[in-house]
Amino acid sequence: MKLKLIFLPYFSFIPKKLNTNSTIFKIIKVFFVAILLSNPIYLSFFENIFTQTISPFLAIWGLILLLKHKKAKEYFWIGFFTGILWFWWIGLSSIYFNLSYLMPIIIFFVGLFYGLLFRICYWFKFDFLRLCGIFCLSFIHPFGFDWLNWGIFTVYGFFDTNYRGIICIFLIAYFIYEGYISRYYKIAIVLILFFIGLQYDKKQAQKLDISYKLINTNISQDQKFLSKNIESNVDFLLKEIIKAIKENKKLVILPETAFPFDLKNTSYENLLKNLSYQITIITGAFNKEDDHIYNSTYIFKEGNVYILNKHYLVPFGEEIPIFKNLVQKYFLPNTQEFSKGPIQSKYKLDHKIITNAICYEVTKEKNYQNSQIIIAISNNAWFNYSSEYKLQQLLIKFYASKYGVSVYHAVNGKENATITPKKMLSKSWMELFKKIYKS
C-alpha cells in the first residue's frame, strides 16, 4: 500500500454519484485545503490538549494537499480562501468610518491579493520550489502588515516555536508528498525531521514580581468615543482601580485608549496621579503635542506620569501609507492620522525593564528582541465577533515562545491574557496520564 493511502479522502461521506469534476466539488476541495492551512486560528476557539496535538499535523496535511494540486488556478483559489479565512475581519473596521459598503470589497481584495501570491508560487517549476515560495510568503508584508506568519503552526503541538520547527513542518509535508522516494526512506526522513523540529525544553522568561490586575473592558467601538458615554466609562475604570487597591494589588493595567482623550492637564490626570501613590497605573489614552497626536501609554507612578507613544501604526486605521490625499478626500475626510513615537519604548518597573506595546505593536517581532517582559494594551473592539483576537494571541504566543518573553495583555473587547513561553506538549500529556492513573 502506498503511503499516500494513509491520508483519508477529502470527504469520505460524499455520495458516489457526486460528479468529482464539477465546479462545486473543486471549490470544496480548495476550500478544504485553505481550512487546513488556517486551522490554528479556528481550533484556538476550542483549545485543549487534543486540538493542540492535531493542529500542526492538520497544517502538514494542508501543505500536502496543496502540492497535490497541479493547476495554477487551484493555487490561486487556495490562496484566495486562505487569505479570507485569515483576514476576513479586516473589513469590519470600515463600519465605524461609515463605509460599510466597502466591507465585501475589502474582503474580496484581501482574498485576491493572497490568491495572486499563491499563484505566483505555482509558477516555480518544481514542487519543492513551490513549497519554498509558500514558506516565503511569511516575509511579504504589505504596508508593514505581517500577520500572515506560518509560525502559528508551531504554537500548538510538539514542534518548537521557531524557524527550525516551521521548516521541519514544511519539509515533512514535502517528503510525505514526494513520490520518488521509497516508503522506508520516506518514513526514516519524516521521523528524523520530526525529531529535529521537536521542542525539547521550555524557555525561561522573567515575570512580574509584583501583584497585578489586568482590567478587561467591553465597550463597543461605536460607543467608545461618544461624549455622552465617556463619563460613565471613566467612572467604571476608576472603580476598577480602587477595587485593585483594596485587593492590595501593586499594579493595574487598563486597555488601549481606556481614556479616549488627551489626559494631560485634566482633572482625571490629577486623580490618577493621586491614586498612583497607592498603585502603579498603566493605561492607554491620546497624547497631543504641538501639531501631533499620538496613541499613547500613560504610566502613573508615585505621583508622576510618564508617556510612551506608539510607533507601529495600523495601515489605513492610524496612518494612510499610500494615496493619502485621495483616501482622505473620498473615504476618511474627518480622520486625523497619528504620529509615530520611538521604535521600542522601555521603562523600569520594580527593578525590571518593561517593553511597552500598544495593540498592533504586540505582534511585531522587533519588540520581542532584547525584551524580557512586555506589557501590552489593546482595543480589539474594532473587530468584535471575529477571529482577529485569536490570531493576535497566536502571534503573541509564537514570539513570546521564540524569544522567551512574558506578555501581560489588557484588552478592550476579547480577551485579557498573560502569555509565557510554550510549555512542552509531551509534559502536558504526561500530566494528563498521571491524573487519569490516579483517578
Side-chain angles (χ1 to χ4, degrees):
M1 183 183 293
K2 294 182 178 180
L3 189 63
K4 67 179 182 180
L5 294 180
I6 293 174
F7 297 98
L8 296 173
Y10 283 33
F11 295 99
S12 59
F13 56 82
I14 292 176
K16 293 181 179 180
K17 291 183 179 180
L18 181 64
N19 181 8
T20 56
N21 291 319
S22 68
T23 301
I24 293 176
F25 187 76
K26 290 177 180 178
I27 291 173
I28 291 173
K29 288 203 301 181
V30 296
F31 186 69
F32 182 62
V33 177
I35 289 175
L36 292 175
L37 296 180
S38 311
N39 86 83
I41 301 170
Y42 296 97
L43 285 184
S44 66
F45 285 94
F46 313 97
E47 187 173 301
N48 56 58
I49 194 169
F50 176 72
T51 56
Q52 289 180 40
T53 301
I54 66 170
S55 179
F57 297 111
L58 292 177
I60 290 171
W61 188 14
L63 293 170
I64 294 168
L65 295 181
L66 171 67
L67 290 173
K68 285 179 178 289
H69 287 82
K70 298 300 182 182
K71 295 180 180 179
K73 64 181 180 181
E74 292 173 338
Y75 266 66
F76 170 82
W77 286 113
I78 290 171
F80 181 86
F81 288 125
T82 299
I84 289 176
L85 286 171
W86 280 58
F87 305 125
W88 66 270
W89 43 264
I90 290 177
L92 291 176
S93 60
S94 63
I95 296 171
Y96 306 106
F97 295 104
N98 295 318
L99 298 169
S100 300
Y101 65 92
L102 287 179
M103 188 163 60
I105 299 173
I106 293 171
I107 293 173
F108 172 78
F109 275 102
V110 166
L112 179 64
F113 177 76
Y114 287 102
L116 291 173
L117 289 182
F118 271 62
R119 183 159 185 161
I120 290 170
C121 293
Y122 175 83
W123 288 344
F124 294 107
K125 185 176 181 181
F126 302 105
D127 290 318
F128 181 75
L129 293 179
R130 289 173 182 169
L131 197 62
C132 288
I134 297 296
F135 173 81
C136 290
L137 294 185
S138 276
F139 302 98
I140 296 177
H141 306 150
F143 311 119
F145 182 71
D146 54 357
W147 280 29
L148 184 77
N149 188 332
W150 303 126
I152 69 169
F153 290 164
T154 64
V155 169
Y156 299 133
F158 295 101
F159 292 93
D160 206 5
T161 43
N162 53 32
Y163 284 115
R164 173 168 57 87
I166 306 168
I167 290 170
C168 285
I169 285 175
F170 274 73
L171 288 177
I172 287 171
Y174 174 74
F175 282 105
I176 291 176
Y177 159 80
E178 180 55 68
Y180 297 101
I181 303 174
S182 69
R183 182 192 312 172
Y184 299 108
Y185 282 119
K186 185 175 291 192
I187 292 172
I189 292 170
V190 168
L191 286 175
I192 290 170
L193 288 170
F194 176 78
F195 285 106
I196 290 174
L198 201 63
Q199 180 185 7
Y200 290 100
D201 55 19
K202 175 185 176 181
K203 286 193 172 80
Q204 298 301 315
Q206 289 189 18
K207 297 181 180 179
L208 290 174
D209 294 329
I210 57 176
S211 58
Y212 66 91
K213 185 172 184 178
L214 299 172
I215 303 300
N216 176 246
T217 57
N218 193 22
I219 305 168
S220 62
Q221 192 61 32
D222 59 344
Q223 299 295 314
K224 185 174 178 62
F225 297 100
L226 295 179
S227 56
K228 65 179 182 180
N229 296 330
I230 288 178
E231 185 175 351
S232 61
N233 291 338
V234 169
D235 286 344
F236 170 79
L237 297 173
L238 294 174
K239 288 177 182 177
E240 288 295 314
I241 294 171
I242 293 170
K243 185 178 177 181
I245 293 172
K246 292 179 179 178
E247 294 171 352
N248 294 318
K249 304 295 183 183
K250 300 300 181 184
L251 170 67
V252 62
I253 305 168
L254 282 63
E256 176 187 15
T257 58
F259 293 85
F261 49 84
D262 185 353
L263 263 174
K264 296 195 307 297
N265 303 317
T266 65
S267 59
Y268 293 115
E269 181 187 34
N270 294 328
L271 180 56
L272 292 172
K273 282 182 179 179
N274 291 330
L275 290 172
S276 70
Y277 286 105
Q278 303 174 72
I279 190 171
T280 300
I281 303 165
I282 297 176
T283 186
F286 296 132
N287 172 32
K288 294 181 180 178
E289 296 180 9
D290 301 323
D291 295 328
H292 300 281
I293 182 168
Y294 299 93
N295 187 355
S296 304
T297 297
Y298 283 68
I299 303 167
F300 293 90
K301 183 179 180 182
E302 297 177 349
N304 298 309
V305 59
Y306 310 92
I307 302 174
L308 305 175
N309 299 319
K310 184 176 183 179
H311 174 79
Y312 293 103
L313 304 178
V314 179
F316 298 104
E318 296 174 318
E319 68 170 345
I320 303 171
I322 58 170
F323 307 124
K324 184 176 298 187
N325 293 333
L326 180 67
V327 171
Q328 286 183 329
K329 182 177 180 179
Y330 293 103
F331 298 102
L332 303 171
N334 300 317
T335 301
Q336 183 175 356
E337 289 186 281
F338 288 98
S339 297
K340 291 185 177 183
I343 288 181
Q344 192 180 63
S345 299
K346 295 188 178 185
Y347 56 95
K348 185 175 285 188
L349 184 65
D350 192 42
H351 308 294
K352 297 286 181 67
I353 302 298
I354 310 296
T355 299
N356 178 64
I358 303 175
C359 199
Y360 189 47
E361 292 185 315
V362 75
T363 63
K364 291 294 182 180
E365 185 169 12
K366 193 171 183 66
N367 273 336
Y368 290 81
Q369 298 169 352
N370 305 313
S371 296
Q372 287 80 42
I373 299 172
I374 293 177
I375 292 181
I377 57 177
S378 289
N379 174 27
N380 289 336
W382 288 100
F383 310 105
N384 263 355
Y385 312 108
S386 78
S387 55
E388 179 268 346
Y389 76 99
K390 286 296 185 181
L391 178 54
Q392 183 189 46
Q393 281 191 2
L394 288 170
L395 293 168
I396 295 170
K397 289 176 180 179
F398 172 69
Y399 291 126
S401 299
K402 181 180 178 181
Y403 289 98
V405 178
S406 296
V407 181
Y408 300 83
H409 192 198
V411 179
N412 175 49
K414 294 183 179 181
E415 59 195 355
N416 284 358
T418 299
I419 296 171
T420 55
K422 175 184 173 182
K423 183 179 179 181
M424 291 177 62
L425 186 61
S426 56
K427 288 188 176 180
S428 298
W429 274 110
M430 290 177 63
E431 291 171 2
L432 178 61
F433 288 140
K434 287 180 181 178
K435 288 182 182 178
I436 294 173
Y437 178 76
K438 288 180 180 179
S439 62

